[in-house]
Amino acid sequence: MDKIVFIGAGSMAEAIINGLTKEEKISPEHIHVTNKSDVEQLQQLKKTYNIQIVCEEKKALKEAEIVFLAMKPKDAKDAMIEIAPYLSSSATIISVIAGVTIQTITNYLGSRPIARVMPNTSAAVGLSASAVSWNKLISEEAKLKIINILESIGTVQAVEEEDLHVVTALAGSGPAYIYYFAEHFEAAAISHGLSKEDARQLFIQTMEGAAQMLKKGDVEPQELRRKVTSPGGTTEAGVEQLIQHNVKDAIFACIDAAQNRSREFAKQYE
């Protein structure tokens, strides 16, 4: 069984560890973790998931088949320099660091199989919308293995690395946009007399139902919207306000700004 080492012990590393252990895809004894300085977090992960902590001798790193880079972008360079001497030439790198390209990873860790993954925070509940890209050194067998790992935290799409910028804007940052809508739809409903509890539950169920309708995939979003929008009705009145307030333009601007920032990060960490 593959030995996996996580470099970084934050929320995304924990979400993936949770998925792997919950789905029993990797035995906890084969999962190791280390981070820059937070010993308390390492101990908490060990206690919660029964996984292992990388020892000072870095034995787990030397034997690792898969190494997850899960540190903050600002710590990536120093972390890669530190671990490079310990990695076997065949170790596969899977990076969940936003903005750090495969070429940048290659510069620090050498020519080896490398995958970049853009998950989102819904990984914490096993519902991440993840995208993955890889270099030419990843075998078809390794691709299937990586996809299998990522499916423990949600769905996964294979894309070109260049497309990870827009994936970051759409799916990586997407939960925040949904929460923004939830925050203000809820507040608007409360302002008209609905209780917070009722507003929250109605919004959640509405989102879940709409998502399932989209997931069926047999009807385009525009047509689904038209089916709800009766001429002269309440929905038409509401949609008209969205149009008048240029919500479509705001959405385009949102995605443009987020993917542009992703490109800026890529240049910054080269």
Side-chain angles (χ1 to χ4, degrees):
M1 184 177 288
D2 288 345
K3 179 173 287 186
I4 296 180
V5 175
F6 286 82
I7 312 298
S11 58
M12 191 54 66
E14 180 171 7
I16 298 171
I17 290 168
N18 177 55
L20 289 173
T21 53
K22 184 177 181 180
E23 298 292 324
E24 298 183 345
K25 295 195 173 185
I26 303 288
S27 172
E29 67 188 66
H30 293 286
I31 300 174
H32 292 69
V33 63
T34 185
N35 65 6
K36 188 177 180 180
S37 59
D38 193 343
V39 176
E40 184 178 340
Q41 173 67 0
L42 291 177
Q43 293 296 335
Q44 183 60 42
L45 290 175
K46 178 177 174 63
K47 179 180 179 181
T48 303
Y49 303 103
N50 199 31
I51 60 173
Q52 316 305 310
I53 297 174
V54 175
C55 62
E56 290 185 11
E57 292 77 18
K58 305 292 192 297
K59 183 174 183 290
L61 263 178
K62 297 173 185 177
E63 299 174 350
E65 285 87 4
I66 295 173
V67 176
F68 267 90
L69 302 181
M71 72 290 290
K72 295 177 181 177
K74 66 181 180 64
D75 297 325
K77 177 181 176 181
D78 290 343
M80 287 191 287
I81 291 173
E82 181 180 347
I83 69 173
Y86 301 99
L87 300 178
S88 73
S89 59
S90 61
T92 296
I93 304 298
I94 303 178
S95 171
V96 296
I97 314 170
V100 177
T101 65
I102 289 174
Q103 184 57 58
T104 298
I105 296 168
T106 302
N107 292 343
Y108 288 103
L109 299 182
S111 182
R112 62 174 64 251
I114 300 172
R116 279 187 64 197
V117 181
M118 177 48 61
N120 64 30
T121 55
S122 298
V125 291
L127 291 172
S128 174
S130 303
V132 60
S133 62
W134 23 57
N135 64 3
K136 294 180 180 179
L137 298 179
I138 297 249
S139 66
E140 291 303 314
E141 181 183 357
K143 289 178 182 179
L144 292 176
K145 186 180 295 185
I146 291 169
I147 288 173
N148 185 49
I149 289 172
L150 296 175
E151 284 179 341
S152 70
I153 58 168
T155 63
V156 56
Q157 301 284 127
V159 302
E160 296 296 323
E161 185 177 17
E162 175 64 20
D163 292 334
L164 285 179
H165 297 298
V166 70
V167 169
T168 299
L170 175 64
S173 301
Y177 313 148
I178 301 300
Y179 302 145
Y180 181 87
F181 275 101
E183 177 185 353
H184 294 290
F185 271 116
E186 187 177 290
I190 291 170
S191 74
H192 286 281
L194 209 59
S195 72
K196 180 175 182 178
E197 292 75 16
D198 287 346
R200 175 76 52 86
Q201 291 306 311
L202 287 166
F203 182 81
I204 290 171
Q205 187 60 32
T206 299
M207 289 293 295
E208 288 185 347
Q212 288 300 316
M213 293 291 287
L214 284 168
K215 196 171 183 178
K216 288 174 63 179
D218 56 345
V219 182
E220 288 296 305
Q222 297 93 323
E223 183 59 28
L224 288 171
R225 172 169 57 84
R226 292 190 188 101
K227 287 183 176 182
V228 183
T229 311
S230 302
T234 59
T235 306
E236 185 180 68
V239 170
E240 183 60 33
Q241 287 302 308
L242 296 177
I243 294 170
Q244 289 186 22
H245 286 80
N246 299 314
V247 172
K248 182 185 79 171
D249 292 344
I251 292 170
F252 271 76
C254 169
I255 298 298
D256 286 346
Q259 68 94 28
N260 284 337
R261 181 56 59 88
S262 177
R263 294 178 189 278
E264 290 171 4
F265 284 153
K267 292 179 180 178
Q268 177 181 341
Y269 297 121
E270 285 180 353

